[in-house]
Amino acid sequence: MTDFKQPPRQYNADGELRKVGYEIEYAGVDLLLSAECVQSVTGGKLEQENPYRYIVSDTEFGEFGIEVDASILQEQSYENFLQNIGIDIDTLDIRAPLEDFIRNTAANVVPNEIVTPPIPLDRMSIVDDIRTVLVNEQAHGTRGSLIYGFGVHMNPELPSTETADLLAWLRAYSLLHDWLRQRADVDWTRRIGPYINPYPAEYLTLITDPDYAPDNKQLIADYVRLIPSRNHALDMLPAFLHITGETLLGKLKEPHLIKPRPAFHYRLPNCLLDDPDWRLAKEWNDWVIVETLADNTESLKELCKAYRKRDASWWQRLTKDWVKIAAKYVKTD
C-alpha cells in the first residue's frame, strides 16, 4: 500500500490544515451504483439531482458529486435544442426512454466522474477507499478501452498567495513537467488531446530568468498573456481568478468553464483504477515532489540555471536529455 505523503507546507495562510479536492474519471459502473459505492465509504445522504448527477451530502467532509462528465448532459441543454425544433419530450412522453438512450450512449465515450469536496491532508486515504469499492464493482480506468482518456484531477489548496511562493511553484512544476509526464506514463489517449499540454517554451524562458521578479499583478498578467487557456496539465487560472476577481475573465479562453477557487488544478495523471498496483496516493505523492522542489530555494535556482543553459544552446537541446537532468533534483523515496 502507498501512503499519502505530506507536503512541506501543510497549512494554509489562516493556519488551517490544507485540503485537497479530487476528480476521478472512470467507466463501467453506472451512476446510481457509483453513488452507493461512495456512500458506503463516506456515509451521508444519497440524492438524485437529475438523470446525470447524484450527490452524497451530509458527510463529514461535505458533498460528493457523482456525475456524467459532460456539461451538455449536466445542464440538460439538449432539451432546449429539441424544443427549438418543435419537439416537447414531456408532451410526447419520451423523456424516460430518451434519457436512458442518451445515458447509455454517452457511457461509451463520456466518463463518469466522482468529484470530492476538499478533504484534509490527513484524511486523504478515503479516496483510495472509494477506489477500492469501485474496482470491486468492475470500474474501468484509462486503459480499460482504446478510446478512454480518463484522468485524475487534483485540486490542492494553495498554502499562500504571496508572489514569491506562486512563482516558485510555477517554476518547479514547469521544470518537472517532462519528468512527471514520463514518470506517470501518460496514456496516448490523453497525450493526443488538448487537456494536459505543457506550458509554452516562451513562458519557461520568462519565469526561469533569475532577474524575473514580478509583483502579484504582473505575475498573473504574464501567465494569462502567454497561457490564456485552461488546457494545461497545471491550470492556474482558477487560482488566479480567485485572487484577482472576475476582471480576469475577459482575457481568458472559455471563461464560462473556469471557476475561481484557491487551489492548484493539476490533471496530468492517468486514472488506472483497475490496475491492482495503482493508487491515488501515488499520483498525489508525485505532486508533493513539485511542492518540495518549490520549497527548496537552492535546488530550484540550480535547476532554473540548468534549464537556461540547455535552452541557450541548440547542441545541448539536441544532446541533453532534460528528463534525466530534472531527475537529479527530485527525491522519490
Side-chain angles (χ1 to χ4, degrees), residues 142-143 148 150 177-191 196 266 268-272 275 278 282-283 286 323:
T142 312
R143 293 176 180 151
Y148 289 169
F150 303 162
H177 172 90
D178 291 350
W179 178 83
L180 289 164
R181 184 168 173 150
Q182 184 178 96
R183 181 172 168 84
D185 190 20
V186 176
D187 194 78
W188 73 269
T189 57
R190 306 186 66 237
R191 285 187 274 115
I196 58 168
Y266 177 62
L268 183 66
N270 300 317
C271 184
L272 303 179
D275 180 340
W278 182 82
K282 172 189 176 297
E283 310 303 343
D286 281 355
V323 171

Side-chain angles (χ1 to χ4, degrees), residues 87-95:
I87 299 175
D88 188 322
I89 62 177
D90 288 318
T91 300
L92 295 175
D93 197 25
I94 60 171
R95 177 179 292 277

Side-chain angles (χ1 to χ4, degrees), residues 152-204:
V152 171
H153 299 199
M154 294 183 285
N155 301 288
E157 183 180 8
L158 292 173
S160 160
T161 57
E162 294 295 321
T163 308
D165 293 331
L166 292 169
L167 179 56
W169 291 316
L170 284 164
R171 282 172 167 165
Y173 162 73
S174 299
L175 294 168
L176 291 182
H177 172 90
D178 291 350
W179 178 83
L180 289 164
R181 184 168 173 150
Q182 184 178 96
R183 181 172 168 84
D185 190 20
V186 176
D187 194 78
W188 73 269
T189 57
R190 306 186 66 237
R191 285 187 274 115
I192 63 174
Y195 305 112
I196 58 168
N197 291 330
Y199 293 153
E202 183 180 1
Y203 186 68
L204 270 70

Side-chain angles (χ1 to χ4, degrees), residues 31-70:
L31 287 181
L32 176 56
L33 181 54
S34 297
E36 291 172 343
C37 288
V38 172
Q39 185 187 36
S40 72
V41 174
T42 65
K45 180 181 179 182
L46 194 160
E47 302 174 76
Q48 183 178 20
E49 284 197 342
N50 62 51
Y52 312 106
R53 176 175 166 83
Y54 287 82
I55 62 171
V56 176
S57 58
D58 297 333
T59 77
E60 63 176 301
F61 305 104
E63 181 179 288
F64 289 76
I66 303 92
E67 58 196 42
V68 178
D69 186 22

